[in-house]
Amino acid sequence: LQVYKGLDIITNKVSPQEQSLCRHHMISFVDPLVSNYTVVDFRDKAVPLISFYIFARDKIPIIVGGTNYYIESLLWKVLINTKEKPSTAPRPASDRKVELEQLDSAELHRRLSQVDPEMAAKLHPHDKRKVARSLQVFEETGIPHSEILRQQQEEEGGGPLGGPLKYPHSCILWLHADQAALDARLEQRVDDMVAAGLLEELRDFHRRYNREKVAENRQDYQHGIFQSIGFKEFHEYLVSEGNCSPETSALLLEKGIQALKQVTKRYARRQNKWVRNRFLKRPGPNVPPVYGLEVSDLQRWEEDVLKPALEIVESFIQGRDPPAEPLRMEHDEKENKRSHRVCQLCDRLILGDREWAGRAQT
């Protein structure tokens, strides 16, 4: 209990036992069938909680990830409101971005090139979500997306990640592990989820919400809960269950389990890459210090994680330097993240020097 005393947790991943230790927020507050809930909706609900409820009670908010992009939305002024009045409710079903995503990728990118060539040059032509978002920003504000981002970065206290920090006395605790240990832990996590009833939960959700869409060939694994890791990987198993032999069903089930393990490990790698590229390699004063906590050996949790984390947080509360040094990574100031090259072997457009170098090595 002492570890959590005086803290408020904002997260969507928590056990009942953890909830009993301290106050948690923003759990089970969006209907699972809402397909257009965005990071802006998340920010517009979380920021008032932090400012007018947690800080107002002289408490300390702990933001738990999760998705690093959502954490960034709370740390920096990085998002763009395209409506006159921010809303705490999900967007209407006729969201312009969703409409734009129905267009062909080439057409989307062509339209963006006409109104915001700078942003079009930064985005991959096949990244429909980002291209559609930039087009939406221009259509609903009349200002190119690239210009709005530049204005944010040029504000006092702004930098490469966007506008100024919302909460100047923030710090980031990054729990990281050896890759082999992390992979083994993630695979075990999937097995534990299956043992705890994942399949029955998927069957129930498919039966109630997705079976009719599949029959009409209008299922959507790009928006809402259906895009979540752990659902689309079992598509073949769910749609064929009861319509094929037990042997085939067992094979499809195993295929789904292995796919879930692979995509989970891939997502963990992307999360770590995000931390390194967004937090550790970005210059400027508007990036909070990042403290690494080694979690490869869970038997050493007290020594390697809990004790140093408490020392770091207590130091920040008391206004003194923590005993640990924040992590830093060297960055190449000459690196061009927007360079365009075409891989002749795979006929793909590659953006950025680093991605090109990585592909050349493979």
Side-chain angles (χ1 to χ4, degrees):
L1 283 173
Q2 195 64 31
V3 174
Y4 291 97
K5 185 177 180 181
L7 303 179
D8 279 62
I9 311 295
I10 295 179
T11 180
N12 61 353
K13 300 178 179 181
V14 63
S15 68
Q17 182 183 11
E18 291 170 323
Q19 290 189 54
S20 68
L21 293 175
C22 59
R23 189 186 299 269
H24 288 69
H25 303 272
M26 298 182 69
I27 301 173
S28 300
F29 69 100
V30 178
D31 186 285
L33 292 184
V34 171
S35 63
N36 51 359
Y37 189 84
T38 70
V39 65
V40 175
D41 297 314
F42 169 81
R43 180 207 60 189
D44 289 347
K45 185 173 179 64
V47 168
L49 269 174
I50 294 172
S51 300
F52 305 123
Y53 183 73
I54 299 176
F55 282 153
R57 293 185 295 116
D58 199 27
K59 303 295 183 180
I60 300 171
I62 304 292
I63 315 301
V64 181
T67 306
N68 295 321
Y69 184 47
Y70 279 60
I71 295 177
E72 283 194 17
S73 76
L74 302 184
L75 286 174
W76 290 280
K77 180 181 177 181
V78 292
L79 300 180
I80 298 169
N81 284 328
T82 56
K83 308 294 183 184
E84 290 185 7
K85 294 182 180 180
S87 172
T88 57
R91 301 287 189 271
S94 60
D95 191 317
R96 178 57 177 157
K97 178 174 174 288
V98 176
E99 294 175 358
L100 287 168
E101 287 180 14
Q102 306 308 309
L103 297 174
D104 176 77
S105 296
E107 173 62 15
L108 263 180
H109 198 261
R110 184 190 68 79
R111 291 190 185 188
L112 182 61
S113 299
Q114 291 179 335
V115 299
D116 191 352
E118 182 179 342
M119 183 58 71
K122 294 179 180 180
L123 300 178
H124 197 287
H126 292 164
D127 194 340
K128 293 183 73 172
R129 286 192 177 191
K130 291 184 179 179
V131 174
R133 173 56 178 165
S134 289
L135 265 176
Q136 179 196 22
V137 168
F138 177 78
E139 288 183 359
E140 297 182 358
T141 67
I143 305 173
H145 194 179
S146 58
E147 176 59 28
I148 296 176
L149 294 178
R150 181 161 46 249
Q151 290 174 5
Q152 286 182 347
Q153 294 173 358
E154 291 176 353
E155 289 183 30
E156 184 178 355
L161 284 174
L165 276 170
K166 291 191 181 80
Y167 312 106
H169 303 295
S170 305
C171 72
I172 297 172
L173 303 178
W174 179 30
L175 278 64
H176 59 90
D178 172 78
Q179 194 63 58
L182 178 59
D183 286 347
R185 199 172 298 161
L186 292 173
E187 293 208 2
Q188 184 61 51
R189 176 188 175 188
V190 171
D191 292 336
D192 292 343
M193 290 167 62
V194 173
L198 172 65
L199 295 180
E200 188 52 44
E201 183 178 337
L202 290 173
R203 286 191 193 100
D204 179 64
F205 205 83
H206 176 68
R207 189 164 47 243
R208 290 195 289 162
Y209 303 119
N210 201 43
R211 186 159 56 188
E212 184 177 335
K213 292 183 177 181
V214 171
E216 298 175 0
N217 196 30
R218 59 184 181 90
Q219 73 274 10
D220 181 7
Y221 291 123
Q222 301 300 318
H223 299 93
I225 195 170
F226 296 105
Q227 69 177 318
S228 303
I229 292 177
F231 194 87
K232 55 185 176 294
E233 288 75 22
F234 290 91
H235 172 80
E236 288 185 87
Y237 172 73
L238 292 170
V239 299
S240 65
E241 192 175 26
N243 300 314
C244 62
S245 67
E247 293 79 13
T248 300
S249 184
L251 288 173
L252 291 175
L253 173 58
E254 182 59 27
K255 179 181 177 182
I257 292 173
Q258 293 305 317
L260 178 55
K261 290 180 177 180
Q262 289 300 320
V263 74
T264 300
K265 290 186 287 187
R266 195 178 305 130
Y267 183 64
R269 283 169 168 78
R270 286 206 304 270
Q271 286 182 311
N272 287 333
K273 182 179 179 180
W274 184 290
V275 172
R276 287 191 290 268
N277 291 340
R278 301 284 289 181
F279 296 159
L280 299 181
K281 291 185 177 180
R282 291 295 181 99
N286 70 332
V287 180
V290 179
Y291 297 92
L293 300 171
E294 173 65 50
V295 296
S296 296
D297 185 358
L298 295 181
Q299 300 298 319
R300 291 185 51 84
W301 178 267
E302 296 275 341
E303 305 96 312
D304 295 345
V305 182
L306 181 57
K307 182 180 177 181
L310 289 176
E311 290 176 345
I312 292 168
V313 172
E314 288 172 356
S315 298
F316 267 81
I317 292 173
Q318 296 169 7
R320 54 184 174 84
D321 292 333
E325 285 291 322
L327 297 174
R328 289 184 176 85
M329 294 185 71
E330 299 222 353
H331 64 278
D332 185 359
E333 295 184 359
K334 297 180 180 179
E335 178 186 350
N336 184 358
K337 297 181 180 180
R338 307 305 178 191
S339 62
H340 289 58
R341 298 182 179 90
V342 175
C343 176
Q344 300 297 331
L345 293 176
C346 57
D347 192 27
R348 288 181 58 187
L349 175 64
I350 309 299
L351 298 186
D353 292 348
R354 189 180 308 160
E355 292 296 325
W356 178 256
R359 183 162 293 273
Q361 292 174 0
T362 59

